Amino acid sequence: MKFLLVLILVFQFYCKTLNLNAQTILNNSKVITIDTGIANIYLIPSSQKEKWILIDNGDASDEKDLIPRLKKVGVTPENILVNIITHGHADHGGNSKYLQSKYSIPILAGLGDKSMHESGHNPDVLNAKGIFAHVLKLFINPKFSAYTANQYIGEPMSLEKYGIAGKVVPSKSHTPGSLVV
């Protein structure tokens, strides 16, 4: 038991160190990072005045905290043009149904993860191979409210209509529907 406690503390320190490094790099690009504890949420400013692109939306257990976290950085749901889900795991898109139904925020997601989104369940959340992945798996609930994305991405797509000089590109890396922004 003592070994497990030490392992968890080392893991938390390791994650926080990575998060601080990512925060520094991202702030120089005017991207806002919201740390949810398991997976980060990002806000990319649009060229459209006071509008944002939301990248991921956290675990379904974060639903009550999501909007206050957004407001804390000066963003309201009405200012979000679109929510891009980087991959189908519950800790990245667990609030998609909530954002769609309550705020009519359109969701873009990878075509390869469509079955995960529409079933509301991740068959094997991490396909854990390393020790840290096995520990992390203890903290992730693979179930979330099922949803259908407004658009599924199977080929590179420009984000110009959202005021971003960039693309969403399928990568089939972490999951079959992984997307890179």
Side-chain angles (χ1 to χ4, degrees), residues 33-100:
T33 303
I34 299 173
D35 181 0
T36 68
I38 296 287
N40 290 335
I41 295 171
Y42 301 96
L43 289 157
I44 302 174
S46 168
S47 63
Q48 299 176 31
K49 188 177 180 181
E50 297 182 27
K51 297 293 183 179
W52 297 86
I53 309 305
L54 179 64
I55 308 297
D56 291 334
N57 59 49
D59 189 87
S61 64
D62 295 329
E63 182 180 305
K64 68 181 179 355
D65 298 324
L66 179 60
I67 303 308
R69 284 178 174 151
L70 292 172
K71 288 181 179 178
K72 186 175 180 180
V73 296
V75 177
T76 64
E78 296 76 24
N79 297 109
I80 297 172
L81 295 170
V82 68
N83 184 192
I84 300 170
I85 307 303
T86 59
H87 64 279
H89 287 162
D91 58 328
H92 289 262
N95 289 301
S96 296
K97 179 71 172 182
Y98 168 69
L99 293 175
Q100 275 182 321

Side-chain angles (χ1 to χ4, degrees), residues 92-126:
H92 289 262
N95 289 301
S96 296
K97 179 71 172 182
Y98 168 69
L99 293 175
Q100 275 182 321
S101 61
K102 182 151 180 138
Y103 299 103
S104 300
I105 296 173
I107 305 292
L108 302 182
L111 182 61
D113 290 345
K114 186 176 182 180
S115 64
M116 280 192 263
H117 304 146
E118 293 181 351
S119 70
H121 185 266
N122 298 141
D124 184 2
V125 172
L126 287 174

Side-chain angles (χ1 to χ4, degrees), residues 126-148:
L126 287 174
N127 192 13
K129 292 182 176 46
I131 187 100
F132 287 126
H134 282 287
V135 172
L136 184 59
K137 200 172 180 177
L138 298 172
F139 299 98
I140 297 174
N141 181 356
K143 295 181 181 177
F144 54 95
S145 294
Y147 67 96
T148 299

